[in-house]
Amino acid sequence: GRKVLIVYAHQEPKSLNGSLKRVAVEELSKQGCSVTVSDLYAMQFEPRATRNDIVGCLHNPEEFNYGVETWEAYKRGDLSNDLIEEQKKVQEADLMIFQFPLYWFSMPAIMKGWMDRVLVQGFAHDFPNCYDSGLLKNKLALFSFTTGGSREMYAKGGISGDIRYLLWPIQHGIMHFCGVKVLAPHICFAPEYVSEEKRKEMLIAWAQRLKTLWKEEPINCSPEWYFK
């Protein structure tokens, strides 16, 4: 069976994000997938990239460089346990689903911290092994998120600009950079401002999409897709 990692960032299990995560676990498990959830708030995941991420001696104790130190520590097997755990989950996953509410045109800090700390050089990328030759190639990612603003606000002519502009740094700059192929995002617009009925429809639409997810083609990860 296929393996799925859901990286989930929401404080409240009863939220729509909590329900979307639950629907994904249920639907994908039904398909025979093995599903692992990293519930970042429940885990009290540390989002800050610090010296504590390296166990033992530093490569250059005179001047701390996080990128260099985590790269060297990864090669020596000297990253902190929480990072090794998350990297194992990523390594095993065929698909990663990131489930979160959009905060200030981006992901919550705790999830950005997961990206900063887990996707270190040597593990996820190693220049020139990036983009199509990134070290996590053959994996898929899907960003599933809720917004505060309506669909119209995030349309091309809307006040917030095309939602795809916001996806450039996270889908292209992080996932594609690491070689991951990206499926079209799943967006629930302004769930707080719609009826209970509409929120139920959002969950049904997500469950429906998950049924045929493995047949989907990744998006064309080029600037044209984001900025056309």
Side-chain angles (χ1 to χ4, degrees):
R2 295 182 173 100
K3 295 195 172 177
V4 180
L5 169 62
I6 301 176
V7 182
Y8 163 69
H10 200 286
Q11 309 87 334
E12 175 49 69
K14 295 190 195 106
S15 63
L16 187 75
N17 274 277
S19 299
L20 289 159
K21 183 259 296 173
R22 195 184 65 249
V23 165
V25 172
E26 286 168 7
E27 180 52 46
L28 292 164
S29 301
K30 253 188 242 166
Q31 296 174 19
C33 299
S34 135
V35 185
T36 303
V37 178
S38 284
D39 181 340
L40 300 182
Y41 284 105
M43 291 156 68
Q44 298 192 325
F45 186 81
E46 168 59 79
R48 295 169 300 178
T50 69
R51 159 77 180 81
N52 297 336
D53 293 348
I54 297 103
V55 175
C57 299
L58 291 177
H59 177 67
N60 176 7
E62 300 304 308
E63 189 179 333
F64 184 71
N65 177 318
Y66 185 83
V68 170
E69 292 297 345
T70 49
W71 184 25
E72 293 295 334
Y74 175 75
K75 290 189 280 194
R76 296 194 309 267
D78 279 349
L79 287 172
S80 60
N81 281 339
D82 59 338
L83 295 194
I84 290 170
E85 278 303 299
E86 294 307 299
Q87 287 177 344
K88 261 188 218 148
K89 295 176 195 174
V90 170
Q91 200 71 65
E92 289 176 1
D94 299 301
L95 166 68
M96 294 176 281
I97 295 175
F98 296 93
Q99 182 65 59
F100 59 98
L102 199 68
Y103 278 7
W104 295 115
F105 279 24
S106 188
M107 60 188 97
I110 199 165
M111 184 175 278
K112 177 60 165 56
W114 185 95
M115 305 277 182
D116 292 348
R117 295 181 63 227
V118 174
L119 302 176
V120 302
Q121 186 170 2
F123 170 68
H125 57 90
D126 202 357
F127 193 81
N129 294 317
C130 54
Y131 291 117
D132 291 340
S133 57
L135 303 182
L136 300 181
K137 55 184 182 292
N138 307 325
K139 295 188 185 300
L140 291 169
L142 192 165
F143 287 87
S144 169
F145 60 95
T146 58
T147 68
S150 65
R151 186 185 293 271
E152 294 68 38
M153 287 172 76
Y154 288 107
K156 202 157 196 172
I159 185 82
S160 299
D162 191 329
I163 191 84
R164 285 190 292 196
Y165 303 159
L166 279 52
L167 293 165
W168 170 254
I170 61 179
Q171 291 189 159
H172 184 75
I174 303 175
M175 285 296 121
H176 186 203
F177 186 83
C178 296
V180 180
K181 291 183 175 61
V182 180
L183 297 175
H186 197 84
I187 309 166
C188 292
F189 289 98
E192 285 176 59
Y193 302 103
V194 300
S195 65
E196 190 54 40
E197 200 46 49
K198 278 269 181 289
R199 283 196 289 276
K200 281 192 185 129
E201 284 168 21
M202 288 174 173
L203 294 176
I204 291 165
W206 178 224
Q208 283 304 115
R209 180 176 176 192
L210 290 164
K211 286 183 199 309
T212 55
L213 196 66
W214 301 102
K215 297 194 174 92
E216 288 186 20
E217 285 297 314
I219 62 171
N220 158 25
C221 243
S222 64
E224 290 75 35
W225 187 88
Y226 296 91
F227 301 110
K228 65 186 175 193

